[in-house]
Amino acid sequence: MNVYGVVVHGGAGRLRQGTKRKVLAEVEKAAVKGFKALNNGCSSLDAVVEAVRVMEDSPLFNAGVGSHLNLNGEIEMDACVMDGRKLDAGAVALVKSVRNPVLLAKLVMEETDHVLIAGRFAEEIAKRHGLKVGEVYTEKAIRIWREGMEKLRKGKVKYLQRLRGFLDSMETVGAVAIDRRGNLSSATSTGGLPLKLPGRIGDTPLIGCGTYADNESGAVSVTGIGEVAIKLVLAKTICDYMAHGLKAFEAIHEGLLLVKERQSNLPIGLIAIDRGGNIGIGHNTPEMPWAYMTNKDGRILSGLSFSEVNK
Ligand code: ASP
């Protein structure tokens, strides 16, 4: 039997009190949406885009409408899609007002000769193609920004500590999928780290760092501190493990060991699918909401942390 299915994550970190059930319902909704696309014969690329779009439309996540603010109190979103058939990829960075940056990343892939477009012209492409553009500030993002600025002003936290201090506000979203024809795809979308420096681009839109898919190995979406994933070229590294024969969950295990050995176990979360349709989910943070659905299981599976997968 050809396995097809989709896995999603809602960001590595620690969930805030009172949000857990809602977040779980949203990641499930995203996975179901992606799986329905696969069931209807759509490509894995369509499935990951559909799944990520659901989470970008939810203010619960740090992507699209729920994006966090940078140090200046502005929104700068990053997103990426990759199609493992021919390694086609599209990404955007520093986007301020597009509601679904994942759709814009797909446009970059399909309508331009480039892979990554940052800033104003990316917004221009969105407008030209009729994507929804407008206010994406939420009260939650503004409150988190105010609280963070207060801590910084009091000098309570320094740079890396500051990143750890925002563990409960990461909430980036991503999806990986394999379709009926065995094609693999990946998509990731984020508002980036809260209070990041203006102009900072994380791992999400950098091919091989936060997002990668190759039919010859697997598909990976990364969440956590982008700088860690960039230094380790983490998504591609995990795909390489799969190319060398590791199953998705083994490759993720190796990836987390690498983070522990080389990057002091700074916060990272990972999802993957390999060519055989095996699924991998892992994180070194207290939580990372996830959900998946395959034709093999025929039902939605979800949890707030990886250990729950074995329950
Ligand atoms: N990886 C994202 C970034 O560094 C943040 C996250 O995953 O929450 O921009």
Side-chain angles (χ1 to χ4, degrees), residues 9 11-12 62 68 78 169-173 188-194 196 200-205 210 222-227 229-230 267-269:
H9 71 75
N62 171 23
H68 288 309
D78 302 335
S169 312
M170 291 170 93
E171 301 155 343
T172 285
V173 304
T188 317
S189 182
T190 187
L193 296 174
K196 62 187 177 181
R200 177 265 190 188
I201 295 172
D203 58 316
T204 299
V222 180
T223 167
I225 295 184
E227 284 68 10
I230 293 170
I268 282 292

Side-chain angles (χ1 to χ4, degrees), residues 120-137:
R120 219 162 356 135
F121 197 76
E123 314 250 349
E124 190 59 41
I125 296 173
K127 282 184 205 143
R128 283 186 196 178
H129 285 85
L131 292 190
K132 276 192 208 154
V133 177
E135 199 64 20
V136 288
Y137 285 74

Side-chain angles (χ1 to χ4, degrees), residues 250-268:
E250 295 165 338
I252 281 198
H253 180 71
E254 288 301 314
L256 288 173
L257 278 180
L258 186 69
V259 172
K260 189 171 180 185
E261 280 161 18
R262 303 298 307 272
Q263 291 290 294
S264 317
N265 220 24
L266 283 165
I268 282 292

